[in-house]
Amino acid sequence: MSIPKEADVVIIGGGVIGCSVAYHLGKLGWKNIVLIERKKLTCGTTWHAAGLIAQLRATQNMTRLAKYSQELYWDLEKETGVFTGFKRNGSMTVALTEERLEELKRQADMARAYDVGIENIDKEEIKKRYPHLNTEDVLGGVWLPKDGQADPVNITLALAKGAKNFGVKIIEDLKVEDIETDNNRIIGVKTQKGFIKSKFVVNAGGMWGKEIGKMAGASVPLHACEHFYIVTEPIEGLQAELPVLRVPDECAYYKEDAGKILLGAFEPNSKPWGGDGIPDDFEFDSLPEDFDHFEPILERAINRFPFLGKAGIKTFFNGPESFTVDNRYLLGETPEVKNFFVAAGFNSVGIQSAGGAGKVLADWISNGRPNIDLWEVDIRRMMPFQKNKKYLSSRVSETLGLLYADHFPYRQFETGRNIKRSPVHSYLKNYGACFGETSGWERPNWFLNEKQLEDNVKPEYEYSWKRQNWFKNSAEEHIAVRNSVGLFDLSSFGKIRILGKDAEDFLQKICGNNVAVAPGKIVYTQFLNSDGGIESDVTITRISLEEFLIVTPAATIQKDLNWIKGHIPDKAHCFAYDTTSSEAVLSIMGPDSRKFLQPLILESLTNEDFPFGHAREVEIGMAIARAHRISYVGELGWEIYISSDMAAHVFEEIMKRNSEIPIKLCGLHSLDSCRIEKAYRHYGHDISSEDNIIEAGLGFAVKTHKSKGKFGDFIGKSAVEIKKQEGVERRMMQFVLKDTQPLLFHNEPIIKDDKIVGHLTSGNFGHHLGSSVGMGYVECSEKGESAENQLKGNYMIDVAGKRYQASPFLKPAYDPINNNIKI
């Protein structure tokens, strides 16, 4: 087949993901699309996928995409005439431990909040649906009637046929040899048969995705792992149309097909594969058997489903699939190369995710940004170092097994650790810090108390859905911040400098708040999209007339830097760069923070001389630093920004002061529990690109009448004005449980007068308030409903199937008039 010289979009990869992207672009009306497959469609991973179709995922938007996928597949056969083998025989997950049962109950609550059909079922109902299952130690489970299974190859071929019907050109047996860019923008792909000029390129290369990304100069951190399953000979007496069965406590799933059982595994310690490159001739291929590796899974499976003990094994299959460092796939435009999109690394859920992922990526390409919040799978969450081969191999040996591990709150990765450390890391370790990891950063989440240090207790997590072993430690840290003074190491903050004579005008364009302030002033603001949704939540400190410092969460630094650089006008005299590693940040917070710091800092810290929302250069010890009077815990305090080479000295000076006024070392768990008492929003949970800033309760940070500067009105201004005029459809609210025992995390349904009206976006225990606190959006009874009326009614929060009375708040339950931060 001849190749075209030009295309609007070139899609690399003919698996289910690539064909879904092609199908959905074609459905949107794109005509000049080319999909290139190096061998044959489905020949990489898709052909050997188990074909499980499930709706429920860990979050609302991932569930939305999975629901869309199964609805698409249900109708695809009628549309294309290609048999997909999709049947809604339902799925069932069973629990063998109390902790797993708690998880399933919470998942069921979440499913109902997301309008996914689900039932909690007992041992008897499980036995009825799976007659030959050993249920002796089963405690319960959940049943999803609309889940099912399908033929992965035929789903892909149906998507491919649908794409062709829309005019997409599909070329097999054509390898992409290089991707060409100009000024970090896609210009086309070089193939074995010539060059195709293209406006967009989509990397849907599956386990080849990392190398395809490298061709374009983009980081696509994924790694293949060996993935095992067996298929039995036909089993006499086996009931037909059995539901898909998952027994995560035994790392196993079961699928009945034509009288046989497919038994698959997500073993705790997986086997990375292909780190040095995948063979060029790999096509419809498998890897060598490793029965010793699979045997423990099979032994437990025979006990669970005794029919397997009598059945012969027809197929022992070992095939590679691509996994990522956090078990979430990679989607979206890369930060390094404009118009280079990725849809890869699907962590063994590619079939059930493909329909939705293809749709939202097609929307993203068409509209310039996604229509829904996709932050959890956005490739911009990845850090540059995460393409490292040794790191990837180490991490994915763990992530495959985590798919079926207990999804405990606060669970930390054990592999690929101790890579990014703050300058005071070793000090904190000696003081008993238990570290967690975010974006490669080792950050103290909680500290041992003095007695535990004396007793040589190891600072390690003991996971549970109940109060974990660090609960009291974090409570002590929380109370210290509320009543005296605490220290947080916030060195992992992302720090972006904007310099140039047009810096102010540019920031006026991308920020909702007014940044035309005097040097030394700190501005809390958001970057908005055209719908008034929140793309970023930051503080901006004006350092000088032509220099600003943007401070952002550690996890969003790549996304925010990409947003900033992508919006700098071509002729603007300003530039942005990442300075995160150049400064450490020690946060001193609490009502005694002024008294604690004043002898260490020569400059006056009084309200009159150093008001809230300002930054000053200060001398501390023998170092020069910059003190920012700002707070994320709702108390008086300062964040001290210190050059990394002087951070250890400053920490030592602070701890010398500890002998006169005790200061509590505090972790990120107590930071979060303090902020949620104060109803401070958390980006990625409470606010996102899909959340309008007015509905998020952050209208105070938007100045629609500010000076617009030389680059025009700020992005999202008209959407903000319309929302203010027309009224909100939902509001962010805070809830405090009246019962002090249940724990809130996120995704718990919000009930008002016996009706689900939303779900919690975040939750934690408020140690000062004495109960669990949650935040979430509540639907208005009608557009523009008054805040006063929305507060009325009987509010409850559903926790693991039980409803608890909750007090609703629109102003923070703790210090609603902001006295404490300004004393």
Side-chain angles (χ1 to χ4, degrees), residues 326-567:
D326 58 5
N327 260 338
R328 293 178 275 145
Y329 50 87
L330 305 175
L331 200 71
E333 186 180 35
T334 64
E336 301 95 340
V337 183
K338 184 73 175 170
N339 292 348
F340 183 54
F341 285 78
V342 175
F346 276 78
N347 304 284
S348 207
V349 294
I351 304 301
Q352 67 188 47
S353 304
K359 181 183 187 306
V360 293
L361 194 70
D363 291 338
W364 194 335
I365 293 170
S366 297
N367 302 327
R369 63 179 179 85
N371 293 341
I372 65 172
D373 170 36
L374 295 172
W375 170 239
E376 62 196 290
V377 293
D378 192 321
I379 192 170
R380 292 173 295 178
R381 75 188 186 276
M382 294 289 112
M383 298 295 119
F385 84 90
Q386 290 177 311
K387 65 183 178 182
N388 178 280
K389 287 182 181 179
K390 185 176 181 180
Y391 167 79
L392 282 170
S393 178
S394 172
R395 176 56 67 84
V396 299
S397 68
E398 178 185 12
T399 56
L400 181 148
L402 290 178
L403 284 169
Y404 273 18
D406 287 283
H407 298 98
F408 290 120
Y410 310 107
R411 183 159 189 158
Q412 301 295 319
F413 291 109
E414 297 177 3
T415 55
R417 295 291 299 269
N418 289 305
I419 299 170
K420 297 167 72 174
R421 287 174 273 188
S422 92
V424 299
H425 175 90
S426 59
Y427 290 96
L428 302 177
K429 184 176 181 180
N430 291 336
Y431 278 106
C434 182
F435 293 95
E437 182 261 337
T438 295
S439 301
W441 281 98
E442 293 293 319
R443 309 194 302 177
N445 280 345
W446 54 278
F447 287 83
L448 298 174
N449 59 37
E450 289 184 10
K451 185 177 187 309
Q452 289 170 324
L453 277 169
E454 291 172 1
D455 294 343
N456 293 315
V457 174
K458 287 187 177 181
E460 296 176 343
Y461 280 90
E462 295 174 12
Y463 296 116
S464 171
W465 285 97
K466 309 300 182 185
R467 286 163 168 75
Q468 297 185 12
N469 62 312
W470 50 267
F471 185 84
K472 290 183 179 179
N473 300 63
S474 191
E476 291 172 1
E477 297 167 17
H478 183 118
I479 296 304
V481 172
R482 289 284 182 249
N483 295 340
S484 52
V485 62
L487 183 152
F488 300 90
D489 177 18
L490 301 181
S491 300
S492 62
F493 271 166
K495 308 168 194 80
I496 300 169
R497 296 262 177 166
I498 309 282
L499 284 86
K501 67 179 185 181
D502 287 337
E504 178 188 301
D505 286 322
F506 166 64
L507 289 172
Q508 289 289 73
K509 175 70 175 179
I510 67 168
C511 297
N513 212 334
N514 182 20
V515 298
V517 295
K521 187 75 174 69
I522 304 171
V523 178
Y524 172 58
T525 188
Q526 291 75 33
F527 303 157
L528 304 180
N529 56 42
S530 57
D531 293 331
I534 301 167
E535 294 288 345
S536 186
D537 185 60
V538 302
T539 62
I540 298 182
T541 302
R542 187 162 203 165
I543 304 297
S544 67
L545 289 177
E546 295 188 0
E547 183 176 6
F548 294 80
L549 173 67
I550 298 175
V551 178
T552 189
T556 62
I557 179 69
Q558 295 298 313
K559 176 180 184 290
D560 295 341
L561 192 59
N562 177 249
W563 181 268
I564 291 165
K565 288 183 174 180
H567 284 87

Side-chain angles (χ1 to χ4, degrees), residues 52 54 68 127 188 199 216 220 227 242 272 275 280 282 310 342 369 429 438 444 464 502 564 636 689 704 723 765 779:
L52 310 184
Y68 172 83
K127 186 76 171 179
K199 299 175 184 176
V220 183
H227 191 203
L242 284 170
D280 199 48
F282 197 90
K310 308 173 187 176
V342 175
R369 63 179 179 85
K429 184 176 181 180
T438 295
S464 171
D502 287 337
I564 291 165
L636 173 72
S689 60
T704 55
K723 182 63 68 175
F765 195 88
E779 299 169 5

